Amino acid sequence: MGDRFDVIVIGAGPAGSSAAYNLAKKGFRVALIERGRKPGSKNMFGGRVYAKPLEEAFDGLGKAPIHRWVVKERLSIVNKEEYVTVEYTGRGRKSFTTYLTDLTDWMAGRAVDAGATLITEVVVDRLLMRDGRVAGIVSGDDELEADVVVDAEGVNRLVLERSGLVERLTLRHVALGVKEVIKVDKGDIEKFFGLGEDEGLAWVFMGSVSDGLPGGGFFYTNRDSLSLGLVIYLEGAVQGMRRHIYDMVEELRIGPLFSRYVENGRIMEYSAHMIPADPRAIRPPRLVWDGLIVTGDAAGLLINMGYTYRGVDTAAYSGMLAAKAIEEADGDYSASRLKRYEEMLRNSYVGRDLEKFRGVHDLYMNPRLFNEYPALLTGLLRRLYEFDYEGYKFSKAFSEARRGLVSLPRIFLDLLEVYRKL
Amino acid sequence: MSSQAPEERKRRKIRLEDLLNNNIWDVDPRPHIKLDTSKCRDCNYKPCVLLCPTGCYTTHGDDVLFSYEGCVECGTCRVVCPEEAITWEYPRSGRGIHFRFS
Ligand SMILES: Cc1cc2nc3c(=O)[nH]c(=O)nc-3n(C[C@H](O)[C@H](O)[C@H](O)COP(=O)(O)OP(=O)(O)OC[C@H]3O[C@@H](n4cnc5c(N)ncnc54)[C@H](O)[C@@H]3O)c2cc1C
Ligand code: SF4
Ligand code: SF4
């Protein structure tokens, strides 16, 4: 690894590629280190990316691998074979579906085009420390020095853990996401969901699909495939799992919501990855040290809005801000100088939305959200819509559906909580 | 030959092994995860068994069997294990899972 670099970036994911791109563009000598055989080969996500921040971080989307622009949103509340769906069709085009593997490869390619040196198939073991400051990285017997290091290693942040800068990940910190990508006919996708050639659907669902555990599912239309998956929060899952997580995902695929869309499909890939969960738990005590800036999932910058995850755009944006802070530091990479990064982040949409939606995780920890309320909702609608002769009055249907599930004051308090936190 | 109608067959679960057959690995001959199985006997819930998405952990009576070959490097087992029975590292030299459509 002989050469000396101004900056070493750990991980060529969205955060690292963006940092490397924005630094290389300004003339910094950047090493972008990735453990995978190529950028993207270790990356996995649900399916949709908000475009604007990415456009800003990479100076346009150019040849980015965009599959479909999301114009339809669906949200379903599931109670076994019954479900309630809300659908919104709008002008859309604020977010697109893609494979993160391809998108990451494109992002890292942008960094390389701007002059960054991409080093693949190298696992960073730990930070190189000199006189109490970060002075580079260590991989096996190799050391590589730099003036400043950007940590963009993602949620499973072994480097930060080993360096003693963050505590070990615990159940509170993370959720597990598992996904199947299923090849289907492009025309079928458009026919099934009433979509145009480059239009897409984003669909999230919650309720009995997670066996009453905090979590939920997602379904995205790609160009000629569908992404279907499930997220389970590990807190509670340790004791609460009733079947194998693979069974839960497979039963989704063959279950009432999706079987008709995927039955002629062929599985292309089965993947899994962790997601930052409780934002207060996973956020490191600080994001800068002498000679080090932490970005993306490693910094816990994922926003869970309750009905969608945003982690790719925020990671890329944080990488861009890290690059700015390094540029402004003008050669002095002490923590006090790099603190500008924390400040810029706080004042950006990333900081503001993290703050705004920080309570969503608490809502997710309410078990009634996954058990009683889906049952109440479907019970109510069943009574209102399914009858032979005589119909129900709403008030009667509601009180019957509610019986034995939740009390009225409880519903009132929960609604108040939702209102305050969303 | 199955006597079920085609629709019925389509709505059957795919076995985990068959799901995993769609993935590409370059398996590191040196295991990147090591398990001290002696600690598993005292582990109450054995959460790794139901939560490892690729079924790397299986029970055999009170014992837990482990194979690292199908691992997709999600890190879940490391987080859920209450006994610190797992030594977890990333595979070296670009080995391990190679996602293409995720
Ligand atoms: C199931 C699931 C669904 C999601 N859905 C969405 C969604 O729909 N939309 C959205 O915007 N976000 C979504 N996210 C979140 C999003 O994927 C992440 O927030 C985002 O990928 C974070 O980017 P990152 O660059 O910080 O980390 P990562 O993407 O994890 O990249 C880290 C990189 O560092 C490399 N690396 C790690 N350690 C080392 C090391 N020691 N040495 C060398 N290289 C290393 C890794 O190989 C990887 O390439 C989802 C996540 C999951 C798991
Ligand atoms: S969780 Fe840890 S101790 Fe328990 S069975 Fe699994 S590996 Fe063994
Ligand atoms: S890292 Fe994930 S896939 Fe690999 S053995 Fe652990 S839980 Fe299973």
Side-chain angles (χ1 to χ4, degrees), chain A residues 384-404:
Chain A
L384 291 180
Y385 287 113
E386 301 194 346
F387 50 81
D388 289 320
Y389 292 100
E390 193 176 332
Y392 268 92
K393 263 185 88 169
F394 182 89
S395 54
K396 180 87 183 339
F398 182 75
S399 67
E400 257 191 49
R402 187 178 64 73
R403 199 162 298 150

Side-chain angles (χ1 to χ4, degrees), chain A residues 279-405:
Chain A
R280 281 152 307 189
I282 193 154
R283 171 90 177 212
R286 42 199 281 207
L287 302 183
V288 298
W289 279 267
D290 290 332
L292 178 73
I293 296 193
V294 186
T295 59
D297 271 7
L301 301 180
L302 177 114
I303 300 164
N304 176 5
M305 297 173 68
Y307 47 88
T308 199
Y309 286 115
R310 277 155 54 202
V312 173
D313 61 312
T314 55
Y317 208 81
S318 71
M320 180 188 77
L321 294 182
K324 274 203 181 113
I326 288 172
E327 193 191 346
E328 284 180 21
D330 206 12
D332 171 8
Y333 303 121
S334 61
S336 58
R337 201 62 189 268
L338 293 178
K339 260 204 164 337
R340 260 299 276 154
Y341 166 68
E342 290 184 347
E343 191 188 313
M344 286 192 285
L345 199 62
R346 202 166 40 241
N347 296 327
S348 72
Y349 84 95
V350 179
R352 287 197 302 273
D353 276 6
L354 271 172
E355 177 61 24
K356 245 181 267 167
F357 297 107
R358 85 198 134 129
V360 170
H361 183 260
D362 299 338
L363 286 182
Y364 262 65
M365 293 301 117
N366 180 346
R368 287 184 293 282
L369 204 61
F370 309 95
N371 297 302
E372 284 83 354
Y373 287 122
L376 170 71
L377 198 59
T378 52
L380 170 67
L381 292 170
R382 187 191 321 121
R383 287 174 175 82
L384 291 180
Y385 287 113
E386 301 194 346
F387 50 81
D388 289 320
Y389 292 100
E390 193 176 332
Y392 268 92
K393 263 185 88 169
F394 182 89
S395 54
K396 180 87 183 339
F398 182 75
S399 67
E400 257 191 49
R402 187 178 64 73
R403 199 162 298 150
L405 289 174

Side-chain angles (χ1 to χ4, degrees), chain A residues 45-49 70 96-99 179 218 220-222 227, chain B residues 102:
Chain A
F45 85 146
R48 87 132 118 219
V49 184
V70 176
F96 59 85
T97 62
T98 186
Y99 299 143
K179 168 169 106 165
F218 55 83
Y220 294 99
T221 58
N222 306 313
S227 293
Chain B
S102 288

